[in-house]
Amino acid sequence: MTEAIRGFWVASATPLAAGGSVDAAKLAAHAKQLFGKGVDGVVLFGTTGEGTSFNVTERVTTIEALLKAGIAPERMGIGGGFPAIADSIALSRAVLGLGLRHVLVLPPYFDRGVTPEGVEDAFAAIIDGVADDRLRAYLYHIPQVSGVAIPTGVAANLRKRYGKVVAGLKDSSGDFKQFQAFRAAAPELAITVGNEADIARAVAAGGAGTICGMANIVPELVKGMLDGKDIETRMQAAIDVVLKTPSFLPTLKAILAAQTGDAGWLRVRPPLRALSDGAAFKRQLDELMAPAIA
């Protein structure tokens, strides 16, 4: 069984049923469709998956459904960040009992004045509370969203304290110098990037691969980046199609709805508001995808 997330992983969007619950059947089908395009695994309930909108029970129930649908546990990771440390512990223990090992953990958020020592204490409390060597924890650095950065020294200290239990770090800062700083401070960590435009340079600099959201809608471009194709300009243009809109997640889901012909993908949880149509965004992406990646 893999010790760390490496290669091509997707931060999966979360499809919803009419009542707002997770549409697990659609999520399983989405994962299988991505696997058919060269994806190694999916991370559920991260930022792209509206993770902070789902409680422990909902996340665990979804994992159980995906396992029943034939998704292998080693091909799944889960967002495990909560304001309450006890919830992160409970989720991690539950998914470990189901055969999953990969848990992405946010630093404590809401308190923007937390010290580096406090960040380290929070991660340590989760790991000590889980108390299971099967756990493979990934520190999730996305300060522009969470409001709390993971200092490089904290990442290095946690790896020294817990060894392979702290398996990696996901850098979604979009700052390549930050990625380089993590690599220098904690070279033993499997560091993935969330910014798709950085994939090729990150892998060349010793990165472990990517866990990214754009792969939900343009997996071919992400695969091309991982394969070293000279398509960074096309990748950035695709990113801009989604990011230059009022809200990333409703736009991404609207594109999925247009690509699949399934309006159910439009659904989001509050406080997000659904878009009515993603056809125009899909057309822009289609233009970027032609000609095919050689």
Side-chain angles (χ1 to χ4, degrees), residues 24-25 28 32 60-73 76 98:
K32 291 176 181 178
V60 173
T61 299
T62 300
I63 292 295
E64 291 173 335
L66 264 61
L67 290 168
K68 289 180 181 178
I71 307 297
M76 287 189 281
L98 294 172

Side-chain angles (χ1 to χ4, degrees), residues 152-205:
T152 55
V154 169
N157 289 345
L158 289 167
R159 176 67 184 197
K160 289 176 183 176
R161 288 176 66 175
Y162 294 104
K164 63 185 181 181
V165 168
V166 179
L169 181 146
K170 182 187 176 186
D171 177 20
S172 289
S173 67
D175 180 356
F176 191 66
K177 290 183 179 178
Q178 180 63 68
F179 167 84
Q180 293 173 311
F182 281 129
R183 282 284 301 147
E188 302 89 357
L189 289 176
I191 302 177
T192 55
V193 290
N195 181 27
E196 294 85 357
D198 285 335
I199 289 172
R201 64 176 65 91
V203 170

Side-chain angles (χ1 to χ4, degrees), residues 38-262:
V39 169
D40 297 310
V42 291
V43 173
L44 311 174
F45 301 114
T47 302
T48 307
E50 301 171 66
T52 54
S53 294
F54 297 89
N55 63 31
V56 172
T57 299
E58 289 174 309
R59 300 188 205 195
V60 173
T61 299
T62 300
I63 292 295
E64 291 173 335
L66 264 61
L67 290 168
K68 289 180 181 178
I71 307 297
E74 61 268 21
R75 300 190 81 170
M76 287 189 281
I78 192 164
F82 296 90
I85 287 172
D87 287 339
S88 291
I89 293 170
L91 177 72
S92 299
R93 286 178 172 172
V95 299
L96 284 168
L98 294 172
L100 276 69
R101 304 181 81 187
H102 306 306
V103 182
L104 253 67
V105 188
L106 285 164
Y109 54 92
F110 184 79
D111 181 356
R112 305 298 174 91
V114 65
T115 64
E117 294 80 9
V119 172
E120 184 171 338
D121 288 346
F123 282 126
I126 293 168
I127 296 166
D128 290 340
V130 175
D132 192 325
D133 287 342
R134 293 176 297 174
L135 176 66
R136 295 295 175 264
Y138 302 84
L139 314 178
Y140 187 11
H141 180 71
I142 185 167
Q144 72 275 23
V145 175
S146 70
V148 179
I150 300 174
T152 55
V154 169
N157 289 345
L158 289 167
R159 176 67 184 197
K160 289 176 183 176
R161 288 176 66 175
Y162 294 104
K164 63 185 181 181
V165 168
V166 179
L169 181 146
K170 182 187 176 186
D171 177 20
S172 289
S173 67
D175 180 356
F176 191 66
K177 290 183 179 178
Q178 180 63 68
F179 167 84
Q180 293 173 311
F182 281 129
R183 282 284 301 147
E188 302 89 357
L189 289 176
I191 302 177
T192 55
V193 290
N195 181 27
E196 294 85 357
D198 285 335
I199 289 172
R201 64 176 65 91
V203 170
T210 188
I211 305 170
C212 65
M214 287 296 293
N216 286 278
I217 53 176
V218 286
E220 298 88 354
L221 278 179
V222 177
K223 183 68 163 60
M225 291 289 292
L226 284 165
D227 291 343
K229 306 294 185 184
D230 185 17
I231 54 172
E232 181 180 335
T233 301
R234 291 171 69 182
M235 186 76 251
Q236 186 60 61
I239 294 168
D240 290 343
V241 168
V242 183
L243 288 187
K244 291 181 178 179
T245 63
S247 186
F248 167 75
L249 290 176
T251 301
L252 185 140
K253 281 190 156 183
I255 293 168
L256 278 169
Q259 288 178 334
T260 62
D262 182 351

